[in-house]
């Protein structure tokens, strides 16, 4: 079965990828559209940041903090954390505002050593912390099924990251969940309410990177409701009655990966000593072995890699030119994360040959075509690209 990759971009019906003329993202990227001007909605959304009254946004965050403190009987916020630079920034910011957070982690089965060190550093900043581990037997079965069905090993991760903090917030009557990057805004989505948005299944299906599924969609004889307990959130009634709200710090403070990394580093966060695990940054996506495998499927489905995302942020923040970014991309090539793929296959019980066969079923033949013995993409970002 071929061409199971689903496109959310525009203008690919003719089989031609088009790239934003300002950054290096293509129209095949989910949630991204390139208008008649040739500029993508992410670049357009970024340009509006200069028009935002950030002093007023900071004041509004102070109102959110005061409301959460007034409603709380103990912890006043939950912060979902991995130990990465953004979660360190979230903790630092909340502590600076005098909050009493409960930090909550879904423990990845592929935690790296630098991820462990950075998570321990984050906790030492002064927060209570829950490191929530799901049964490896359940997790590996769920991961394998998600990979086979949707070409994604990260659906279980995203369901856990969303639902575990929400469940704890509801059960412990904690009024606020504090996330980091506002990805919906970064790609031109609508703003959430300034006092926080309601967290529910509708939100998860839209923004949760779960292919629109919830835990209920994965029930089977092999994965029962009891097995998937951690992946189920509170019922809509429970969540509504508890009044738990969510906010993104990226709504109240300018979000820039270099800036959040600098804040995190000033508070003990360490970059990867071995360079980037996936993408361009040595300070992002470094805490989990399997995250690179998740991002790698973009190559089959959409014809770009994690580095395209990262370099586009560098262009928007005026740290790289588009020409410099393209040169970097050509030098890196497709960036197959062979070492991490081996680890992932060992974990979920697949051979590399079988893994590659499944990946091929998600190759998007709207953009990929065979040329001699190679898969190539017409009208790619550079004529110098070496197809392997």
């Amino acid at each position: 079965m071929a061409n199971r990759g689903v496109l959310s971009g525009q203008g690919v019906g003719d089989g031609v990828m088009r790239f934003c003329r300002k950054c290096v993202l293509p129209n095949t990227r989910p949630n991204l559209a390139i208008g008649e001007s040739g500029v993508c909605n992410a670049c357009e959304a970024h340009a509006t940041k200069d028009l935002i009254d950030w002093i007023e946004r900071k004041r509004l965050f102070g109102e959110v903090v005061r409301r959460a403190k007034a409603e709380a009987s103990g912890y006043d916020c939950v912060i979902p954390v991995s130990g990465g630079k953004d979660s360190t920034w979230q903790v630092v910011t909340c502590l600076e505002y005098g909050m009493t957070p409960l930090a909550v982690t879904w423990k990845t089965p592929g935690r790296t050593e630098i991820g462990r060190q950075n998570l321990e550093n984050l906790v030492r900043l002064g927060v209570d912390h829950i490191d929530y581990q799901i049964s490896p037997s359940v997790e590996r079965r769920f991961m394998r099924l998600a990979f086979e069905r949707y070409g994604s090993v990260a659906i279980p991760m995203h369901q856990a990251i969303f639902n575990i903090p929400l469940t704890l917030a509801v059960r412990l009557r904690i009024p606020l969940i504090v996330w980091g990057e506002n990805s919906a805004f970064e790609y031109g989505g609508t703003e959430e309410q300034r006092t926080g948005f309601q967290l529910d299944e509708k939100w998860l299906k839209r923004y949760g990177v779960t292919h629109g599924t919830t835990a209920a969609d994965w029930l089977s004889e092999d994965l029962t409701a009891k097995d998937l307990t951690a992946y189920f959130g509170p019922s809509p009634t429970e969540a509504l009655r508890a009044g738990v709200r969510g906010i993104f710090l990226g709504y109240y403070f300018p979000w820039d990966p270099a800036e959040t990394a600098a804040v995190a580093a000033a508070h003990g966060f360490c970059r990867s000593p071995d360079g980037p695990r996936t993408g361009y940054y040595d300070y992002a996506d470094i805490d989990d072995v399997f995250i690179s495998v998740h991002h790698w499927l973009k190559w089959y489905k959409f014809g770009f890699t994690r580095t395209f995302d990262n370099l586009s942020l560098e262009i928007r923040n005026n740290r790289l030119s588009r020409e410099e970014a393209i040169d970097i991309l050509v030098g890196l090539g497709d960036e197959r994360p062979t070492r991490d793929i081996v680890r992932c296959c060992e974990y979920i019980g697949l051979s590399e040959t079988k893994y590659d066969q499944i990946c091929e079923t998600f190759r998007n033949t709207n953009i990929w075509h065979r040329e001699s013995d190679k898969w190539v993409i017409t009208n790619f970002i550079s004529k110098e690209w070496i197809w392997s």
Side-chain angles (χ1 to χ4, degrees):
M1 182 167 61
N3 197 30
R4 292 199 290 169
V6 178
L7 292 179
S8 297
Q10 298 180 10
V12 293
D14 55 5
V16 177
M17 285 179 69
R18 294 179 175 83
F19 290 84
C20 174
R21 65 179 178 83
K22 283 195 173 182
C23 71
V24 292
L25 286 179
N27 57 347
T28 53
R29 190 197 189 283
N31 299 317
L32 187 124
I34 298 176
E36 293 183 3
S37 67
V39 178
C40 72
N41 56 321
C43 285
E44 290 176 343
H46 184 84
T48 67
K49 287 186 175 182
D50 291 338
L51 306 177
I52 293 173
D53 185 345
W54 291 107
I55 295 176
E56 172 63 10
R57 290 285 181 90
K58 186 176 180 180
R59 186 193 68 78
L60 291 173
F61 181 67
E63 288 185 5
V64 171
V65 170
R66 285 190 290 275
R67 177 173 174 175
K69 287 181 176 180
E71 294 176 350
S73 57
Y75 302 113
D76 44 39
C77 68
V78 168
I79 309 178
V81 301
S82 65
K85 48 94 180 172
D86 275 358
S87 53
T88 303
W89 170 63
Q90 289 159 239
V91 167
V92 168
T93 302
C94 289
L95 290 176
E96 287 178 344
Y97 274 78
M99 302 193 79
T100 305
L102 174 63
V104 177
T105 302
W106 161 75
K107 185 178 182 182
T108 167
R111 181 175 288 168
T112 63
E113 177 58 22
I114 192 66
R116 181 191 65 79
Q117 293 174 17
N118 281 326
L119 183 59
E120 290 179 355
N121 174 75
L122 180 153
V123 176
R124 285 196 297 269
L125 294 176
V127 293
D128 290 356
H129 176 242
I130 294 175
D131 202 13
Y132 196 117
Q133 182 171 9
I134 296 171
S135 163
S137 174
V138 171
E139 200 144 43
R140 64 169 52 96
R141 279 179 281 150
F142 194 177
M143 283 178 64
R144 176 165 175 163
L145 184 59
F147 175 60
E148 292 172 342
R149 188 180 297 178
Y150 289 112
S152 173
V153 296
I155 290 174
M157 173 187 74
H158 288 117
Q159 289 194 0
I161 286 172
F162 174 82
N163 284 307
I164 290 170
L166 178 57
T167 297
L168 289 169
V170 169
R171 298 290 185 270
L172 298 176
R173 313 298 291 183
I174 304 171
L176 187 67
I177 299 180
V178 181
W179 304 90
E181 176 195 3
N182 185 350
S183 57
F185 174 77
E186 297 298 325
Y187 287 90
T190 58
E191 297 175 354
E192 71 275 15
Q193 294 178 356
R194 67 183 189 180
T195 56
F197 58 89
Q198 189 67 44
L199 296 162
D200 52 24
E201 286 188 1
K202 182 179 178 182
W203 185 93
L204 176 60
K205 285 185 175 183
R206 182 172 181 182
Y207 297 114
V209 198
T210 63
H211 282 266
T213 68
T214 63
D217 297 307
W218 297 91
L219 294 175
S220 67
E221 291 184 3
D222 193 45
L223 288 172
T224 67
K226 286 187 177 181
D227 291 333
L228 298 178
T229 296
Y231 302 100
F232 280 94
S235 71
T237 301
E238 286 180 299
L240 187 62
R241 186 179 297 125
V244 177
R245 299 180 307 282
I247 61 165
F248 291 101
L249 284 186
Y251 175 84
Y252 301 96
F253 303 93
W255 181 85
D256 175 348
E259 293 296 326
T260 61
V263 171
H267 292 83
F269 172 85
C270 293
R271 297 167 179 253
S272 168
D274 303 316
R277 182 161 219 106
T278 181
Y280 181 67
Y281 300 130
D282 63 359
Y283 52 72
D285 298 323
I286 62 175
D287 53 341
D288 183 1
V289 167
F290 301 143
I291 195 66
S292 60
V293 183
H294 162 63
H295 287 304
W296 167 243
L297 266 293
K298 294 177 181 178
W299 186 237
Y300 290 84
K301 297 176 180 179
F302 310 118
F304 72 100
T305 68
R306 179 62 163 168
T307 303
F308 283 67
D309 281 315
N310 295 160
L311 293 180
S312 293
L313 287 171
E314 293 302 290
I315 293 168
R316 291 181 204 121
N317 286 293
N318 299 313
R319 291 189 286 266
L320 280 178
S321 69
R322 189 175 190 272
E323 292 72 25
E324 289 171 328
I326 292 173
D327 286 343
I328 292 170
L329 290 169
V330 172
L332 291 173
D334 62 23
E335 304 175 86
R336 177 185 173 95
T338 301
R339 177 184 56 171
D340 293 346
I341 289 172
V342 170
R343 288 276 301 276
C344 184
C345 287
E346 290 174 350
Y347 185 74
I348 64 177
L350 280 179
S351 68
E352 282 188 74
T353 299
K354 182 63 175 176
Y355 170 87
D356 286 332
Q357 290 173 348
I358 293 172
C359 286
E360 283 298 334
T361 69
F362 291 95
R363 190 181 291 276
N364 180 3
T365 54
N366 287 330
I367 57 172
W368 288 97
H369 67 274
R370 296 290 290 184
E371 195 170 279
S372 299
D373 61 341
K374 298 177 182 179
W375 283 104
V376 303
I377 298 175
T378 302
N379 197 41
F380 202 57
I381 195 164
S382 172
K383 294 180 180 180
E384 306 301 318
W385 193 270
I386 298 175
W387 300 100
S388 59

